[in-house]
Amino acid sequence: MKKIVIVFSALLLVYSTLGAQVRPKKPRDLAGDVKLFRFARVEFDDGNYGEALRLANEAKTARREIVAWEADTLSYALKPREVQKANGVLSDVLAVLKKREDYDAVEIVERYVGKKTRAFFNNSADALVSYVSTRFSFPEADRLIGRIYFLEGEYSLAKQYLLNAWQNAALLDIPDERYDILYELSDIALIEKDFDSYEKNLLLIVSGDSLLKNESFERAFMLIVQNNEAGAMEKFFTLFRSEDYTALDAYFKLAPYYEERGFSDKALKAFALGTLTAFTKMHNTVKARDSEFEYRNLSLLFTEIKRFPNIVDWASERQIWKGFSDFADCVRKAGNERFAFDLYTALAASSPDGYWQKRAAAKLANDF
């Protein structure tokens, strides 16, 4: 009986050793993960959510298989003494790999260098290998799966996949897509009445705005917003600009959130930054279309915007005119009636949106 146990244990050891030595096979298509994801996105856009979900999961599986093979191939390619003599200098390592005709390793290195640049890896082979080993996740696919579950009302699952995407946002091919993930997480938080997460996700979006970290800028523009002297409104839009367009919606979501909870100073700041960002976007777009345009006052900018239907459509879709109107309301509640009066006047005279133009005129007629 003891002999049988010993033989059986020896066989287990042999099989486990052989199993440990099994290396990942080279995938048939090294771009298969990206292709599957593109197909998934097409199906999603066409409303075929079941097929999109299947393809997105297949894309994740393909990504894991590709990266496992890449990491294993590089690991073995860097072991020979001849390669190690290059001391991990990526350019030197690549030259040695070419000399050794290690075509798979060369293809992997050149592909990543072509995509990220040698400087991204500090010309270090170890840094490249380390980066490759982090790429088992596929945040774009996780985000798409999260969006599918959101549309199907499966908010818990949607949040799980979106959080996975957010945690691996450093791997996104389009870095700014991380803001879309945060907006989608904030939508779920609002539905679930998780207001702490709602605020947290929106603040993460605006945290990239350098203006928020500039205390002197904040003091300057808030001083003008709170200044009840004539001309303060035009001074505000003449002196300041905010080009962090990804934060635009976040500001206009945070502002009413703070207002409803009685944080009037935070609400005023968020409305001011949201309105300033929208103004900057429209001003810069008009300037790009008409190089001779020079800003003189807000009413004339609104009049100029009417010449460009796509700007008007963009502003309507993003509820920009509501943002201007809400900003005027908030400024008035804060006690600066002169600033509010001038802003309502510009909206009533020239707003491209008839509803908000009439609302501003009604405010002027009834509240002043």
Side-chain angles (χ1 to χ4, degrees):
M1 183 67 179
K2 289 182 179 179
K3 289 182 179 180
I4 296 175
V5 171
I6 292 171
V7 172
F8 182 70
S9 299
L11 286 171
L12 282 178
L13 180 60
V14 171
Y15 284 126
S16 63
T17 303
L18 288 172
Q21 292 176 346
V22 174
R23 297 177 59 190
K25 292 182 180 180
K26 182 177 181 178
R28 292 181 179 179
D29 187 352
L30 295 178
D33 54 342
V34 176
K35 291 177 182 177
L36 284 164
F37 175 69
R38 287 173 180 167
F39 292 144
R41 196 162 51 188
V42 169
E43 295 295 338
F44 177 85
D45 291 340
D46 290 342
N48 301 322
Y49 302 133
E51 183 65 8
L53 183 62
R54 183 185 70 80
L55 289 167
N57 277 309
E58 287 189 7
K60 290 181 62 177
T61 300
R63 169 65 60 87
R64 288 193 295 270
E65 292 173 350
I66 291 168
V67 173
W69 174 78
E70 290 175 339
D72 176 79
T73 300
L74 289 175
S75 175
Y76 271 82
L78 297 179
K79 284 182 179 179
R81 184 176 300 177
E82 184 181 1
V83 180
Q84 291 185 5
K85 286 181 179 178
N87 296 319
V89 178
L90 186 56
S91 52
D92 295 342
V93 167
L94 182 58
V96 176
L97 292 175
K98 288 180 177 179
K99 182 179 178 182
R100 291 173 56 84
E101 298 183 348
D102 194 337
Y103 299 120
D104 282 339
V106 168
E107 188 278 332
I108 294 169
V109 171
E110 289 185 336
R111 175 155 42 86
Y112 278 100
V113 169
K115 184 177 182 181
K116 305 298 292 187
T117 76
R118 190 173 296 167
F120 177 84
F121 301 110
N122 294 316
N123 202 24
S124 166
D126 289 340
L128 186 145
V129 173
S130 177
Y131 176 77
V132 171
S133 67
T134 67
R135 294 190 68 253
F136 284 94
S137 296
F138 198 161
E140 290 89 348
D142 278 328
R143 182 194 169 206
L144 185 63
I145 293 171
R147 294 173 70 191
I148 292 169
Y149 282 127
F150 177 83
L151 291 172
E152 293 180 346
E154 298 284 352
Y155 301 124
S156 179
L157 282 171
K159 181 164 60 176
Q160 175 186 325
Y161 280 96
L162 288 170
L163 283 172
N164 286 342
W166 168 248
Q167 289 163 2
N168 294 288
L171 300 176
L172 290 166
D173 284 336
I174 303 174
D176 281 355
E177 195 172 340
R178 67 188 187 275
Y179 297 117
D180 297 322
I181 296 168
L182 288 171
Y183 274 119
E184 287 153 1
L185 284 168
S186 72
D187 290 340
I188 294 173
L190 186 60
I191 290 170
E192 294 183 336
K193 300 188 186 304
D194 182 358
F195 298 116
D196 287 342
S197 293
Y198 178 71
E199 179 187 14
K200 176 185 174 183
N201 289 321
L202 294 175
L203 286 175
L204 281 171
I205 294 169
V206 304
S207 65
D209 187 350
S210 60
L211 296 181
L212 287 177
K213 303 168 186 174
N214 187 331
E215 294 183 2
S216 60
F217 173 87
E218 180 183 336
R219 284 195 300 269
F221 86 76
M222 287 302 290
L223 183 64
I224 292 177
V225 169
Q226 295 166 337
N227 187 338
N228 207 17
E229 296 179 1
M233 188 275 287
E234 282 300 343
K235 189 175 182 181
F236 176 75
F237 289 108
T238 300
L239 291 179
F240 302 110
R241 298 289 183 270
S242 173
E243 296 185 351
D244 185 18
Y245 303 137
T246 57
L248 176 59
D249 290 341
Y251 284 131
F252 280 143
K253 289 183 176 184
L254 282 167
Y257 169 80
Y258 286 136
E259 194 170 42
E260 289 173 8
R261 281 152 185 77
F263 301 123
S264 55
D265 288 345
K266 288 184 176 182
L268 182 59
K269 178 181 174 182
F271 271 129
L273 284 168
T275 306
L276 185 61
T277 305
F279 164 84
T280 304
K281 175 70 171 178
M282 294 188 293
H283 171 275
N284 290 351
T285 305
V286 169
K287 183 69 176 176
R289 306 280 178 82
D290 182 356
S291 59
E292 296 183 359
F293 170 77
E294 293 295 336
Y295 180 78
R296 284 182 286 171
N297 60 60
L298 192 60
S299 181
L300 287 176
L301 174 64
F302 290 165
T303 300
E304 192 74 11
I305 285 171
K306 293 177 183 178
R307 294 174 48 205
F308 306 100
N310 58 336
I311 302 178
V312 175
D313 291 343
W314 173 84
S316 296
E317 290 169 4
R318 303 296 285 272
Q319 296 189 309
I320 299 304
W321 310 118
K322 180 181 185 302
F324 274 91
S325 185
D326 288 346
F327 179 37
D329 293 348
C330 190
V331 171
R332 184 169 179 270
K333 288 177 185 176
N336 191 344
E337 294 205 352
R338 169 61 66 178
F339 192 113
F341 178 88
D342 290 345
L343 186 48
Y344 286 133
T345 299
L347 287 166
S350 309
S351 172
D353 189 300
Y355 173 82
W356 296 105
Q357 187 176 29
K358 291 177 182 177
R359 184 185 186 276
K363 284 285 185 181
L364 291 170
N366 299 325
D367 296 344
F368 293 91

